[in-house]
Amino acid sequence: MNKDVATFIEKWGQTGVSERANFQPFCGGLCDLLGLPRPDGQKPNESENAYVFEKNVPLHQPGGGTTTGRIDLYKRDHFVMEGKQGADEGAVRKGHGTRGSVGWDKALVRAKKQAENYIHALPASEGRPPFLIVVDVGHSIELYSEFSCTGGIYVPYPDPRSHRIYLRDLEKESVRETLRTIWTDPLSLDPARRSARVTREIADKLARLAKSLEASGHAPAASGGFLMRCIFTMFAEDVKLIPHGSFEALLRSIRDQPAQFVPLVKSVWDSMNNGGFCVALRDTLLKFNGGLFEERNPLPVTSEQIDLLIEAAHADWREVEPAIFGTLLERALDPRERNKLGAHYTPRDYVERLVMPTVIEPLREQWDNVQAAVARHLQDDNEKRGQREAIKELQTFLDHLCTLKILDPACGSGNFLYVTMEHMKRLEGEVLDLLLALGQERLELEGHSVHPSQFLGIELNPRAAVLAELCLWIGYLQWHFRTRGAVNPPEPVISKFHTIECRDAVLAYDAAEPIIVAAASSRSTDAKAAVAAASTRLSSSQASRSELRESTERQDAAPTSDYSFFNPYKKIEITKAHLPHWRQEGVTYFITFRLADSLPKAKLEQWKTEREAWLTQNPPPHDEAQKSEYFERFSARMEALAGCGSWRLHSRRKVLRQYCRQRTEIFRR
């Protein structure tokens, strides 16, 4: 072991319980150990304090007024660090609690919450850091990340099982390198960025293979199904659901004997479908099923095509990002879409803007309440009863998490569904960790988890529908091993739930039912009946555009609601000088507004400088890889910057300012 590391661990493993006395020397020593500069001294101009201890932040109080908070250690665009110090069992002074106790856990939870409050209170010009760090001096370092840098939810990094670094873990160079990178280039640790790069490379290889198979005379549908089975087999060997490296080794062994490809690969897929001993791989395989291997006849391939399969198999399929893999794979397998392989896809940040407030943030609020209830139960004078009630509280929440149904009625290749599932799996991991800490046996928790069967989709494109289900299973299995460790999922590994339906979510229907209108007057009844009749005829392609226009005009003449909305067939007044630019008499308007600090000036200037430098180094014309890089570094980043302000509103009227601020806090939450 490195002598400096041993000295650091020995010194700080024996410190007392005074956080105030020990935090700054501990952080200084850690910087020395990692070969990093120590924090700077405080400057009178707060905007110059980019890497300091005790960073001042204004905290707005609910009743008005402002107080000053102090971040224990701050590095702009990198992290906010909050320090505590617990004590080992038997220590006279307990500090923030005996390590491993309820009091200690609560202290660390409060420290994280405090750091989150500081992050949200940072001025817009500071932006939001990608990392939040909680340190128990001389014992552990907890890592939380939020890579969109918009001040969203900070989740355990890299996952709930391994986000806590103990002092002894500093012996590992990989751990020291992770901490070093948080100080120097934190965004490079974003797994989505790394996974996106790996995923694009794999999709490119598969596109070349699909094109080669079609050139050999195979129909696109047949080559697509064949490749999807190959894809899952490659993924299965990398996560060790089948012997690690076995499929790639098989491909290499028959590279010069392509005639053996069909019988040997069919043998593998027969065994994966039914379970049991596989002669080709010389090992017993789990039963996969799920419909994926119902059609098990591999396509005959050439030695050159086996080379392409070997290239794809050699990639690290554990790093595939399901949030974009489906879209890229759909383009790779469809000859009409293949030229769009390097084109833009919906970035993960955009997906999370919908997923987080609609699904994850409400679940996180429930989880906060559950943790508070667990803490209360564990303070019960009757220790056994308190622990029993705490476990019951956690299991009830886990039951809710594992039975919740999510529907995307236009799911495409499943990126929104996958991102939702990933965040729910992260939350599941946190619940499991707490249950295990309370003495629950891991065996008792097996078979009860957030599962692909909870995620429902409707999609018109049959290829995209199949890919959506495949990507959900790949993502589920990735997170199964991250949250459960080296424990195989129950058999069959994948199941055929038919949760992704291939149909039109809007136009398809089970039956036609009469519409009964309970109206306030015969006039409105007649108007609504006319609209219903015209709409029915339109759906049967028997009505003209004018019929719908006339019926809507009759309905407008007899309103039955407090709200009347824009009608494209009525008179519209269009102006340029004043808002709203489009006006219509008697209709309801939706008001949108731009916050004064929605795009921090300092961040905008940095963005412009980096963009100009990039364009200088990458003059046009740009290839597909450059276009994709530009989109990720500048277009998607601009959208993220637009949401990281501190929600200031400029108005001459104080009452209006206060009211608007209260209203916008609703959106912020």
Side-chain angles (χ1 to χ4, degrees):
M1 181 172 59
N2 183 302
K3 184 179 178 181
D4 292 337
V5 175
T7 302
F8 181 85
I9 292 172
E10 183 180 3
K11 173 182 178 180
W12 289 104
Q14 300 175 2
T15 52
V17 294
S18 174
E19 171 222 329
R20 187 177 295 276
N22 291 330
F23 177 77
Q24 292 190 14
F26 173 81
C27 290
L30 182 62
C31 289
D32 294 342
L33 180 67
L34 299 175
L36 299 167
R38 290 190 173 214
D40 303 324
Q42 286 270 3
K43 299 179 178 64
N45 185 347
E46 193 59 48
S47 65
E48 296 178 13
N49 291 326
Y51 180 34
V52 292
F53 291 114
E54 301 292 321
K55 166 77 173 178
N56 293 325
V57 288
L59 300 176
H60 299 285
Q61 301 303 307
T66 303
T67 60
T68 299
R70 290 179 175 82
I71 301 173
D72 287 344
L73 177 56
Y74 174 72
K75 191 163 196 252
R76 183 181 296 155
D77 297 328
H78 292 69
F79 61 80
V80 159
M81 184 184 291
E82 186 65 21
K84 299 296 174 190
Q85 186 156 30
D88 292 328
E89 187 73 38
V92 177
R93 296 174 60 195
K94 301 299 182 186
H96 289 100
T98 301
R99 288 161 181 154
S101 69
V102 175
W104 179 72
D105 283 333
K106 287 174 67 177
L108 296 187
V109 170
R110 284 196 301 269
K112 178 177 181 277
K113 186 65 178 175
Q114 187 176 353
E116 287 174 334
N117 291 338
Y118 289 154
I119 288 170
H120 294 147
L122 284 167
S125 57
E126 296 279 349
R128 303 291 182 264
F131 275 93
L132 183 160
I133 305 173
V134 176
V135 172
D136 176 3
V137 177
H139 179 259
S140 62
I141 300 170
E142 292 186 354
L143 304 179
Y144 300 88
S145 63
E146 200 284 290
F147 287 110
S148 74
C149 298
T150 59
I153 295 171
Y154 284 80
V155 297
Y157 176 87
D159 56 63
R161 293 181 66 248
S162 51
H163 75 293
R164 182 177 289 168
I165 298 170
Y166 291 99
L167 194 64
R168 279 280 167 202
D169 294 333
L170 292 174
E171 296 173 359
K172 303 171 187 173
E173 173 56 33
S174 60
V175 170
R176 299 199 299 275
E177 183 57 31
T178 296
L179 292 173
R180 195 177 292 118
T181 306
I182 291 174
W183 254 260
T184 56
D185 187 15
L187 291 178
S188 68
L189 294 173
D190 183 355
R193 295 187 181 204
R194 183 171 60 253
S195 297
R197 183 175 62 254
V198 171
T199 306
R200 283 196 299 271
E201 292 169 357
I202 289 174
D204 179 65
K205 290 180 174 67
L206 294 172
R208 287 189 286 131
L209 182 54
K211 189 175 180 179
S212 174
L213 290 170
E214 289 157 19
S216 299
H218 300 296
S223 62
F226 165 70
L227 285 176
M228 279 191 274
R229 285 184 283 280
C230 289
I231 286 166
F232 190 85
T233 309
M234 294 170 186
F235 169 76
E237 71 170 344
D238 279 357
V239 296
K240 301 181 182 178
L241 284 169
I242 65 175
H244 187 253
S246 59
F247 188 62
E248 182 182 349
L250 176 65
L251 293 173
R252 291 185 184 279
S253 71
I254 59 175
R255 191 266 172 210
D256 296 323
Q257 300 168 298
Q260 296 184 15
F261 178 86
V262 170
L264 287 175
V265 172
K266 186 177 186 303
S267 169
V268 173
W269 290 348
D270 283 340
S271 299
M272 291 179 74
N273 186 61
N274 301 312
F277 188 79
C278 175
V279 174
L281 300 184
R282 301 180 181 181
D283 209 329
T284 301
L285 304 187
L286 300 172
K287 180 178 180 178
F288 286 80
N289 203 336
L292 184 60
F293 297 104
E294 283 180 354
E295 170 55 56
R296 301 186 291 279
N297 294 320
L299 299 181
V301 294
T302 65
S303 293
E304 290 73 21
Q305 289 164 342
I306 292 177
D307 283 337
L308 291 172
L309 280 170
I310 291 170
E311 274 189 59
H314 191 64
D316 188 351
W317 284 83
R318 294 171 302 173
E319 296 288 342
V320 163
E321 170 57 281
I324 63 171
F325 183 56
T327 302
L328 294 180
L329 188 56
E330 184 182 354
R331 292 172 182 172
L333 300 183
D334 190 336
R336 297 166 299 178
E337 297 287 318
R338 200 167 290 140
N339 63 329
K340 299 179 184 176
L341 195 57
H344 303 329
Y345 47 82
T346 306
R348 186 188 179 91
D349 288 352
Y350 287 23
V351 175
E352 289 183 332
R353 288 189 183 193
L354 176 64
V355 166
M356 300 305 285
T358 55
V359 181
I360 304 306
E361 289 176 10
L363 284 173
R364 285 274 170 191
E365 287 182 14
Q366 293 175 37
W367 175 229
D368 287 344
N369 293 335
V370 168
Q371 288 176 294
V374 166
R376 287 196 300 272
H377 288 311
L378 293 176
Q379 291 174 336
D380 194 320
D381 293 336
N382 185 323
E383 186 177 335
K384 288 186 177 179
R385 181 179 62 194
Q387 183 164 336
R388 184 173 63 249
E389 291 302 314
I391 290 173
K392 188 185 204 179
E393 196 88 41
L394 290 168
Q395 288 179 327
T396 300
F397 179 72
L398 184 62
D399 288 342
H400 171 61
L401 199 62
C402 297
T403 54
L404 190 65
K405 298 286 187 182
I406 307 295
L407 169 66
D408 183 346
C411 67
S413 47
N415 51 356
F416 282 81
L417 287 173
Y418 166 72
V419 170
T420 306
M421 182 175 72
E422 179 193 313
H423 280 281
M424 288 174 65
K425 292 295 287 184
R426 285 182 178 276
L427 188 50
E428 174 197 320
E430 295 175 43
V431 180
L432 290 175
D433 277 356
L434 193 45
L435 278 167
L436 290 169
L438 291 176
Q440 284 289 89
E441 293 293 332
R442 185 173 290 277
L443 187 61
E444 296 174 30
L445 302 172
E446 297 304 330
H448 194 50
S449 68
V450 174
H451 194 268
S453 60
Q454 297 172 235
F455 299 89
L456 317 177
I458 302 173
E459 175 52 42
L460 191 58
N461 182 328
R463 191 195 302 273
V466 173
L467 287 172
E469 199 155 359
L470 177 64
C471 290
L472 278 174
W473 278 107
I474 287 177
Y476 163 74
L477 292 167
Q478 284 177 330
W479 278 95
H480 170 87
F481 290 112
R482 288 170 188 166
T483 57
R484 306 271 175 158
V487 177
N488 281 332
E491 297 182 69
V493 176
I494 55 178
S495 303
K496 198 170 184 179
F497 291 111
H498 301 288
T499 52
I500 308 295
E501 296 189 8
C502 184
R503 61 184 178 87
D504 192 318
V506 178
L507 298 180
Y509 55 88
D510 298 320
E513 298 181 3
I515 299 174
I516 301 174
V517 181
S521 68
S522 59
R523 185 181 180 190
S524 62
T525 303
D526 293 343
K528 289 194 172 183
V531 172
S535 299
T536 303
R537 291 196 299 276
L538 274 170
S539 66
S540 305
S541 302
Q542 296 174 350
S544 65
R545 188 179 179 87
S546 61
E547 280 187 276
L548 184 59
R549 180 172 66 249
E550 291 168 5
S551 62
T552 52
E553 287 174 352
R554 288 198 297 275
Q555 187 182 31
D556 287 339
T560 59
S561 168
D562 293 336
Y563 302 101
S564 178
F565 301 111
F566 174 75
N567 186 337
Y569 303 110
K570 291 182 68 176
K571 181 181 177 182
I572 304 167
E573 181 185 351
I574 300 177
T575 67
K576 291 186 178 180
H578 303 287
L579 293 173
H581 297 306
W582 282 31
R583 302 181 183 185
Q584 195 170 82
E585 188 68 28
V587 300
T588 301
Y589 291 88
F590 289 92
I591 304 299
T592 62
F593 53 87
R594 180 185 181 277
L595 298 172
D597 66 343
S598 62
L599 205 60
K601 185 176 179 181
K603 295 292 180 183
L604 179 60
E605 292 302 321
Q606 180 184 355
W607 180 89
K608 287 179 178 177
T609 302
E610 291 178 9
R611 179 177 176 274
E612 288 171 5
W614 189 90
L615 290 172
T616 301
Q617 295 173 0
N618 299 272
H622 299 135
D623 59 26
E624 296 302 335
Q626 288 173 313
K627 290 178 183 177
S628 183
E629 180 186 356
Y630 179 91
F631 179 74
E632 287 186 12
R633 290 187 59 179
F634 302 108
S635 303
R637 186 169 156 210
M638 173 61 75
E639 288 295 322
L641 286 173
C644 68
S646 61
W647 299 74
R648 291 194 178 91
L649 292 148
H650 294 178
S651 173
R652 285 173 294 189
R653 297 173 59 187
K654 183 177 179 182
V655 173
L656 184 59
R657 283 201 309 273
Q658 292 176 338
Y659 176 78
C660 289
R661 184 175 183 85
Q662 290 170 357
R663 296 298 90 195
T664 53
E665 283 294 335
I666 295 172
F667 298 108
R668 188 173 187 174
R669 290 194 293 270

